[in-house]
Structures are given as structure tokens and as C-alpha cells.
Amino acid sequence: MSRVLSPREILDRLVSFPTVSRDSNLDLIDWVEAYLASHGIEATRVPSPDGTKSALFALGGAAEPGGVILSGHTDVVPVDGQDWHSDPFSVTERDGKLYGRGCVDMKGFDAIAIWACVEAQRQGLARPVQLALSYDEEVGIIGCEEMIAAMREALPPVEGAIIGEPSMMQVVTGHKGGAGYNVDVRGFEVHSSLQHTGVNAIMEGARLIQWVNDRNEELAAAEPGPLAAMFEPPFTTIHIGVIEGGTAHNITALDCHFAVSFRCVPGDEMSGWDTRLREAAAAIDARMKAVRPSAGITLTERFSVPPLEPEEQGRAEALARALTGDNGTHVVSYGTEAGHFQNYGYSAVVCGPGSIEQAHQPDEYITVEQFEAGIGFARDLLRHLSA
Ligand SMILES: [Zn+2]
């Protein structure tokens, strides 16, 4: 049995693996798996479809009902083009802060969760800590669903799931859901003096963009329901963040590509928006094909994130409130894996150390104070599970 590492020592190891979402996380997963195994915990991998990445789940303590899931993602956003004052893939402590890529989002919580899982095993807790580590969270929350499904099959039911995204240890009970699409518009090139005989991919794509603008105006003007009113802004938003297309000012554009993403307030179903977006695209597609049958619009869904809906008498919420003493109402407008856990029937909340404001930034950090608060939370959780 190997030496028990402190949360801080585990954090050092986790940050040293440059698990940027576009790259493999298998070195990190190998390390976690071996570390857990050295303390008698057998972890289960849930590999990505292409095998270059993996999620991992494990159980520390007795394989009995009534435990708690601690969930985090292993991937981090890139550091390209960012001005860092120390090595992003090495934890550097200065002025009461731990600097490093992922320190706050969210290897700090991952380290605490791994530590707690090993503690639960060492203490032989009758109610276990279930550890859940995913991949590809930062590229649309796409690497956790299979893991959650596999956990539900393999492990006993739990009191709740705590997703440790940075919330300053506040108990977040709701977040928006959403989905992202790539839109590929294929036109037909002619000299622009004859544009009536061609199809301009940019100008046809603009029709769909205008559709988005019109929906945003309607959404902003509507009276929010009580659930939506908790959010800022209190309505669903639709966003287009990138676009490219065309080759020259006097050629009707052959191609135009852009990305549409939705952030839906709980209660506003993404499935309905999927239908409406596809109908709008189909109408434009038909116009284009009437001029040139080879022209058209293709929609490809990149990701879909279910919202986290505040639960009535939620068990995860009650537990997190008891452990943190936080009785405030908190919802956030970004997505997390909590919505997926809830979708699979788990009671779920977001509660983790550090501030989302330092996530994705150059010189990302978690304060030592928040890291310690996270460790204190885990200690109190272990006490709760042993009671
Ligand atoms: Zn995160």
C-alpha cells in the first residue's frame, strides 16, 4: 500500500498532466487508477469512442447504498496565447494562491475528491464516496454521459451527486441547459454580376442568422416564468460566436460556416428549439435548392447539455446545505455535468471551491483558503457518511 497523499500533493500530480481537451487524458487516468489501486480501490474506466481519452469511476468504502458522488472533469482549456507568469502545468504557490491550469477548474476539486475516496476506503465507511472523473467537459460536456450510465449500472444508489465546479462553496441548485450546432451552408459559385443564377452561401446563411436575431428579440420581450426569473438573463439566449465564408467580393460565396449555440432556461425544452431551428434551416434549404439542387444547409449537433432544475426537497441540496451552512439561492448561466446526473435520476447540485472568475484565465489560481474550504467540506462529508 503506497503512502497516502494529501489533497495538495494530489493536486500537484493532476496539474502536471497537460490534459487540454484536444489531447489525451490517459496519463492522468493511469496515475489516478494506479494510486487508487495502491489503496485497494478498483476503478472502472469508460473510454472515449476513439480510445484516446477515458472517464473513470470508483467507490471508496463499502459497496452499500447511501453514499455520495463527488464528480469532476479532468480536462482543462488551452493555455495557447495566454500570458502566464509561471509554468501552467506545475502548481506554484504565491501570496496565498495556488497557480496552475486547472487549479480552480477543476483539478482542485478533483484532488479533494480522490483524497476523500481513499479516506472513505481507509476508514471502511459503511456509506461510500463514489468518485466520478470525466473528460471533454470543456468542449460541450460530452464525456460524462456514458460514465454516469455505467455508474448507475455498477454502483449502489446514493444520497446525491455533488459536482465540484467552482462556486465558492455555495450550493448551486440550477443552471441553464443548451446545445450547440455547426451550420454548413453550401452555395453555388458564379460571377457576382450573374448572382441571380448562383447561390450565395453567406447571404443564405444570413437568413438563418436573422432568424436567430428575431428569436432573441422575442425571448427577451416575453414575461419570464418563476423558474426562468431566477436566472440572469431570465430567458433563453441563442448565440453565434464564429463565422467564416466566401472567397472574393465578386464571386457568390460557395461556403459559409458558423456555429449556433443555445442556453436554455430550465423549463424551456431544447428539443423544441432543435425542431424550430431545423424547420427554419429546411425552409432556407428549399429556397436554395430551387435555384441550384447542389446547394443547401446542413446542421450538425455538436453537443447538448441538459439544464439543472432546482429540485423540490432535493437530497443533494439538503446535504450540501447542511455541510456548508449556505442557505442562499444560487443559479448559474453556464452548464455543468450536474444536468446529466439529474437526467439519469440522481439528485444533484453544484458545489465546489474557488471562483469561476479565475477559470480559463491566464494565471488561473485557487486561493489556499478556498482549497482548504473544499478539504473541510470533504472532511465534514466523511463524518456525515460515517455517522
Ligand atoms: Zn469546469
Side-chain angles (χ1 to χ4, degrees):
M1 197 165 284
S2 74
R3 189 170 72 83
V4 176
L5 300 178
S6 68
R8 173 60 204 280
E9 289 171 315
I10 298 172
L11 177 63
D12 286 347
R13 299 306 301 261
L14 297 182
V15 171
S16 75
F17 299 105
T19 50
V20 176
S21 309
R22 62 175 175 238
D23 300 322
S24 172
N25 72 341
L26 290 179
D27 289 345
L28 181 150
I29 292 293
D30 285 346
W31 182 82
V32 173
E33 187 178 58
Y35 179 66
L36 293 173
S38 74
H39 294 285
I41 300 169
E42 193 188 330
T44 304
R45 289 185 186 222
V46 184
S48 63
D50 68 359
T52 62
K53 300 168 189 171
S54 187
L56 174 150
F57 65 86
L59 177 147
E64 297 290 338
V68 167
I69 292 173
L70 298 180
S71 159
H73 59 81
T74 61
D75 59 319
V76 294
V77 296
V79 296
D80 309 55
Q82 292 189 339
D83 187 17
W84 281 74
H85 292 88
S86 57
D87 177 3
F89 298 109
S90 166
V91 179
T92 305
E93 181 169 352
R94 25 174 223 276
D95 309 327
K97 294 167 183 157
L98 303 172
Y99 290 89
R101 173 55 86 224
C103 274
V104 75
D105 186 15
M106 57 182 295
K107 290 177 172 176
F109 182 82
D110 293 344
I112 293 166
I114 293 165
W115 173 82
C117 186
V118 168
E119 275 305 302
Q121 177 77 3
R122 276 159 40 86
Q123 295 174 24
L125 295 188
R127 295 160 67 199
V129 169
Q130 297 186 11
L131 173 70
L133 297 176
S134 70
Y135 61 91
D136 279 357
E137 194 273 352
E138 297 289 4
V139 289
I141 317 191
I142 53 184
C144 67
E145 243 193 296
E146 270 188 70
M147 171 188 71
I148 297 167
M151 284 181 84
R152 254 192 96 76
E153 282 287 302
L155 301 184
V158 292
E159 186 173 357
I162 294 167
I163 289 74
E165 287 284 345
S167 73
M168 293 299 281
M169 298 311 298
Q170 291 182 330
V171 181
V172 173
T173 57
H175 65 61
K176 290 187 179 182
Y181 297 82
N182 285 339
V183 183
D184 298 297
V185 190
R186 172 53 49 128
F188 190 94
E189 281 180 308
V190 296
H191 191 282
S192 60
S193 63
L194 298 170
Q195 70 170 16
H196 65 293
T197 65
V199 178
N200 187 315
I202 294 174
M203 295 169 80
E204 296 303 321
R207 295 182 198 279
L208 193 61
I209 295 173
Q210 188 54 42
W211 179 85
V212 167
N213 285 330
D214 292 345
R215 298 296 80 70
N216 276 326
E217 279 182 27
E218 289 169 8
L219 287 160
E223 193 64 37
L227 202 53
M230 297 169 72
F231 289 84
E232 176 54 37
F235 45 82
T236 295
T237 54
I238 318 173
H239 186 250
I240 296 167
V242 286
I243 184 166
E244 61 174 14
T247 43
H249 77 95
N250 55 0
I251 304 174
T252 57
L254 177 63
D255 286 299
C256 179
H257 310 283
F258 53 96
V260 179
S261 46
F262 292 76
R263 291 183 188 274
C264 297
V265 289
D268 189 8
E269 294 294 330
M270 191 54 228
S271 57
W273 281 111
D274 181 86
T275 304
R276 271 168 271 171
L277 176 69
R278 288 182 190 283
E279 282 171 1
I284 300 163
D285 184 82
R287 293 176 50 106
M288 296 170 73
K289 284 191 167 45
V291 182
R292 293 286 181 176
S294 64
I297 293 194
T298 313
L299 291 180
T300 312
E301 189 188 81
R302 287 203 330 280
F303 63 85
S304 174
V305 182
L308 177 65
E309 303 209 15
E311 299 167 13
E312 303 261 351
Q313 316 273 322
R315 295 178 76 198
E317 176 183 347
L319 172 63
R321 290 199 186 287
L323 294 175
T324 59
D326 175 29
N327 285 313
T329 301
H330 312 284
V331 297
V332 292
S333 284
Y334 52 86
T336 78
E337 297 179 338
H340 281 296
F341 276 97
Q342 196 175 57
N343 238 12
Y344 276 85
Y346 289 104
S347 177
V349 288
V350 176
C351 183
S355 167
I356 194 73
E357 283 170 24
Q358 277 91 48
H360 303 193
Q361 299 281 321
D363 288 337
E364 174 180 346
Y365 68 82
I366 186 169
T367 63
V368 171
E369 191 185 355
Q370 273 295 303
F371 191 55
E372 300 277 330
I375 297 167
F377 175 85
R379 281 191 202 286
D380 291 344
L381 173 64
L382 292 167
R383 217 166 287 135
H384 165 81
L385 292 172
S386 68

